[in-house]
Structure formats: structure tokens, C-alpha cells
Amino acid sequence: MNQSDAIVCGGGMVGLTLGLALAKGGLQVAVVDSLPPAKTVAPEFDGRVSAFAYANVRMLQVLGVWPHLAPDAQPIREILVSDGAVGRPAAPFSLHFDAQDVGADSLGHIAENRHIRAALHAAIAEEKNLTLVAPADVQSLTVDGAHVRARLSDGSEFQAALAVAADGRDSKLRKAMGIGVIGWSYPQIGIVATVRHAKPHNDVAYEHFLPSGPFAILPMTGNRSSLVWTEAKDKAPAMLALDAKPFEAEVTARFGAHLGKTEVEGARWSYPLNFHLARDYVKPRFALAGDCAHGIHPIAGQGLNLGLKDVAALAEVVLDAARLGQDIGALDVLKRYERWRRFDSFTLAASTDALNRLFSNDIAPLRQLRDLGLGVVDAIGPLRRLFMRHAGGDIGKLPRLLKGDPV
Ligand SMILES: Cc1cc2nc3c(=O)[nH]c(=O)nc-3n(C[C@H](O)[C@H](O)[C@H](O)COP(=O)(O)OP(=O)(O)OC[C@H]3O[C@@H](n4cnc5c(N)ncnc54)[C@H](O)[C@@H]3O)c2cc1C
């Protein structure tokens, strides 16, 4: 039987960050992932990028991940939000966020998921308190008095005071521990592709609301941008099946001409989109983090940011308890984490859901209302700055890591 203080089940971006935070705080941690690390950092594994709120960049700096990621991270200095339709110019009432308005160098950073995973693995390799077990599945968890035991697919067993499930949206462990979710599927698919363009993006991200759903253009390093194109479920398969040239023509019709000639680079990816919130985040000796606890629409690029906020809060609660000699798996300790994170997750999940419903249609009165709304927010400086602080993850009671302080 292998012993550790905590076992993190799932070594995706959230699980790896949590393992690192707990280990840096002095706990012995085992992180188990189903997949070999080399597979998850390969370009063909995941075509997505993630937009990091600046509070999360501060956490990655404290955890020693940022030096490995910074060369591949693209700052976002401006975000332009507009409402339109395929082939119709953007509405005149656009919303403009600028880092200068909040006295910052950037509003956040974009990095390819494969680079984020590689940076996390590089940081973990330097961390003596963390053992990564991969590839192996956590097949079952058994809570037994003062311990939780994890049985792995390779036949090994781990015993710890606390197990955290970070095994993603379709979490088997959440179900096995009897935690239900509320949720639904969106009638949309997320199409993701990388586009190379003739002109520089000048660190600007675009969110273009089209009737089928939001079309985001996220600046990447070099003259490249990542598209997150939300398309109606019934239309997406035909778009994905198009040959290269007609697919590029569809992209150009939505992308516009502001970045010059565009060319799709590499594979196209598609992701089903759904919403879920776990009914509970904790049980005795068990907690949920990341997509396992909440799955949200990518309209605001906040899914991973939300998971990283879980990491910062859970690490702080658990490490503070350990320093006071408390049992880190006790329900009253874990409830502090649930109280801290649940309301924020619910608020963001509900707002992204409402935004998607408000914008993903072409109903004329609604269109006029939302164009007016964008114009009003744009005109009111303090309101615009409040939105930017929200997007930057710099609002509410921040855990130490998100302030850039040691855990
Ligand atoms: C189209 C799209 C665009 C997005 N864009 C953004 C963005 O710009 N910004 C942002 O913040 N978020 C974004 N997101 C959301 C973001 O991708 C997710 O929130 C994030 O990947 C969740 O990470 P995770 O570690 O919780 O889960 P996952 O990435 O799903 O990782 C789960 C891990 O658990 C492992 N696992 C599963 N079962 C077991 C088991 N039994 N035992 C051991 N290991 C197991 C898996 O191998 C995997 O590595 C986007 C999502 C989509 C769909």
C-alpha cells in the first residue's frame, strides 16, 4: 500500500496544478492520470488554447510553472466584442476592453493546452513531494475511517487522508461517490481551428456574436489565431466535413478581412458543449475540482480559469488545516472549500449560460437590445473596468495563490 497525504485522481491541467500546489505546501501528493504524459502534450491530442485570467497567471508564477510557459504564451491587450451575422458587418455598438484602462500590461494570456500541460509536467519534474502515476486509471475509492483508499488499474493501491477527483466532465469518480449533477446539453458544437493570417493581430482578441453562437478569435504567438467557433449542432457536421478550400471560405465569411489573407493551419477539432454543476463539491475525505465539479459554455473562455480558482481555494483550505494539525479530509474542513467556491462557480456558469441564450439567435428585438447593452457597457467606464476585473479573476475573496502570494 502506497501512502500519501492526498491523492489527486486525474492529471489534466486542473489536477496537475492542484498536485503541485499541495506539494509546494509540504504535503506528500500522488497524482494519477489515465494517459501517458507524452500523449497529452502532442499536437494531435488537443487543438484548444486557453485564455488565462491574470490572477491565474500570478498563481502559475508562484508555482514555478510560468517560466516554462511564458515563451509560448501570448498576451491579450485588447478585447473587441461585437454582434453580427455571417457576412454582415459588426454592429456599431461594439464593446472595447483595453488593458490600459485598468493600468495593466495585459488582460490575460493565451496558451495552447499542450504547452500548458508540458509546462506543468516540467514544473512537476522539479517537485520532490509529488509522485505522478501515469498511465493508470483510478478504478475505485473507498472511504474507511481515517483514510481513503484508491485502487488503480495497474493493481496498485494508494492510501491518503484526502482524495480529490479532477477527472473531467464525465467524471466516473463523482458518480461512484454518489454525487449527482444538474445539467443539459447545448444545441451547439465547438469547432476549434488555428488560423495563420497575413497581418499581425496586435494582441487583440475578438468575440463576434453570430446567430449560431459566439465566434472567438484568440491571438496566438506569431501571426496566428485560434478560432473557437460555436455552430448549431445540425449544421456543424457539414462544416467539419467540408474540403479545405470551402471550409476556409466559411471561416473567412465569419472572420472578416481585418487580418488579411487567412489560412487554416493543421487539424479541425470539435467538442460537444454542455452545462453541468455538481450538487455537492465535497464528501468526507473527498472533493471535486475543475470540470468534474462544473462544466460551462466556452463563450467567455472561463472553464479552466474556474478550475484553477478551485485549485487555489482548495489548496489554501487544506494546507491551512494541515498547518493547524487538523484532519485535511474532515468534512468540516472540506466544507470551507465548498462554501468558498460553489457560489462563484454557480454565478459564472449561470451568466455564461444566459449570455449564450441572449446572443445565439437572430431575433431582431433581442439583437437591438443586446447591441444597446454592449454600447451602454462600453460607454460607462467603471462598468467596463468591473467587467475586466471579473474576467481577470481579480474580484471577491481571493485565495493567496491568486494574489501571487506563496501558498
Ligand atoms: C471548445 C472549448 C474551448 C475552451 N476554451 C477555454 C478557454 O479559453 N479558457 C478556459 O479557461 N477554459 C476553456 N475551456 C474549458 C477547459 O478546456 C476545461 O475547463 C479544462 O480543460 C478542464 O480541465 P480539467 O483538468 O478539469 O479536466 P480534463 O482536461 O478533462 O482532465 C481530466 C483528466 O483526468 C484524467 N482521468 C479521467 N478519468 C480518470 C481516472 N478514472 N483515473 C485517472 N485519471 C483519469 C484524464 O486522462 C484527464 O487527463 C474550453 C472548453 C472547450 C470545450
Side-chain angles (χ1 to χ4, degrees):
M1 178 80 75
N2 300 284
Q3 298 281 344
S4 59
D5 296 311
I7 173 162
V8 180
C9 311
M13 293 183 283
V14 169
L16 289 173
T17 314
L18 177 65
L20 200 52
L22 295 175
K24 289 243 182 259
L27 297 187
Q28 293 297 324
V29 186
V31 178
V32 185
D33 196 80
S34 308
L35 300 169
K39 185 171 177 179
T40 66
V41 300
E44 56 275 13
F45 179 71
D46 184 344
R48 284 174 298 179
V49 301
S50 294
F52 280 107
Y54 48 77
N56 284 324
V57 172
R58 291 198 286 255
M59 170 162 74
L60 295 184
Q61 278 163 343
V62 175
L63 296 180
V65 180
W66 193 246
H68 301 289
L69 186 57
D72 294 309
Q74 165 65 44
I76 312 170
R77 298 193 207 281
E78 287 175 68
I79 303 175
L80 280 171
V81 183
S82 58
D83 195 11
V86 180
R88 186 173 75 208
F93 292 117
S94 289
L95 181 52
H96 180 205
F97 297 113
D98 191 326
Q100 282 183 351
D101 284 358
V102 280
D105 288 339
S106 73
L107 292 168
H109 282 76
I110 303 272
E112 294 173 53
N113 285 4
R114 65 190 175 109
H115 288 143
I116 301 167
R117 289 195 194 90
L120 284 163
H121 282 291
I124 275 167
E126 296 161 1
E127 182 48 64
K128 61 177 181 359
N129 289 343
L130 188 151
T131 308
L132 177 65
V133 188
D137 270 330
V138 177
Q139 290 191 320
S140 65
L141 290 173
T142 316
V143 176
D144 168 17
H147 300 108
V148 52
R149 285 201 185 86
R151 182 180 290 276
L152 273 49
S153 52
D154 61 5
S156 61
E157 281 196 299
F158 278 78
Q159 181 169 278
L162 169 68
V164 181
D167 55 340
R169 285 182 176 229
D170 298 321
S171 169
K172 288 196 183 67
L173 296 170
R174 182 188 65 220
K175 284 177 209 143
M177 295 299 277
I179 299 182
V181 293
I182 46 161
W184 49 85
S185 296
Y186 289 107
Q188 297 164 317
I189 298 279
I191 300 176
V192 172
T194 300
V195 169
R196 190 166 279 282
H197 32 79
K199 294 186 191 166
H201 47 55
N202 296 324
D203 313 335
V204 182
Y206 299 85
E207 180 82 292
H208 199 30
F209 290 112
L210 303 177
S212 298
F215 186 89
I217 305 173
L218 307 172
M220 296 169 77
T221 49
N223 274 7
R224 298 180 308 148
S225 294
S226 173
L227 302 185
V228 186
W229 167 4
T230 312
E231 187 49 85
K233 227 177 201 166
D234 54 342
K235 292 195 192 129
M239 294 291 172
L240 285 160
L242 287 173
D243 287 336
K245 285 285 162 214
F247 182 75
E248 231 158 72
E250 291 290 344
V251 166
T252 309
R254 289 160 178 78
F255 200 95
H258 59 287
L259 292 175
K261 187 174 158 29
T262 54
E263 203 172 288
V264 176
E265 191 179 82
R268 307 161 200 173
W269 306 77
S270 69
Y271 298 87
L273 303 180
N274 48 50
F275 173 101
H276 75 261
L277 276 175
R279 290 188 187 277
D280 299 294
Y281 279 20
V282 299
K283 287 211 149 188
R285 310 214 166 279
F286 183 66
L288 309 179
D291 272 21
C292 169
H294 38 68
I296 65 170
H297 195 285
I299 189 165
Q302 289 292 326
L304 177 63
N305 281 311
L306 211 49
L308 293 179
K309 280 171 113 181
D310 295 346
V311 166
L314 183 56
E316 185 162 318
V317 164
V318 165
L319 290 169
D320 283 354
R323 284 167 192 150
L324 291 170
Q326 295 172 344
D327 176 356
I328 61 169
L331 190 58
D332 61 330
V333 169
L334 298 177
K335 281 277 179 194
R336 293 175 208 155
Y337 160 65
E338 185 178 78
R339 282 194 295 273
W340 199 347
R341 290 301 306 137
R342 206 146 160 237
F343 182 67
D344 180 48
S345 307
F346 168 76
T347 314
L348 189 73
S351 325
T352 53
D353 185 69
L355 267 182
N356 184 51
R357 284 171 203 274
L358 178 65
F359 279 94
S360 299
N361 62 71
D362 204 15
I363 304 166
L366 268 186
R367 200 172 62 228
Q368 282 152 15
L369 191 70
R370 66 202 183 209
D371 289 350
L372 190 67
L374 290 179
V376 167
V377 177
D378 196 52
I380 303 175
L383 191 56
R384 216 174 53 240
R385 284 192 283 280
L386 182 70
F387 268 89
M388 281 189 268
R389 288 190 58 210
H390 261 291
D394 225 357
I395 213 120
K397 185 186 167 222
L398 287 192
R400 291 189 290 272
L401 278 170
L402 297 186
K403 291 187 209 156
D405 295 334
V407 70

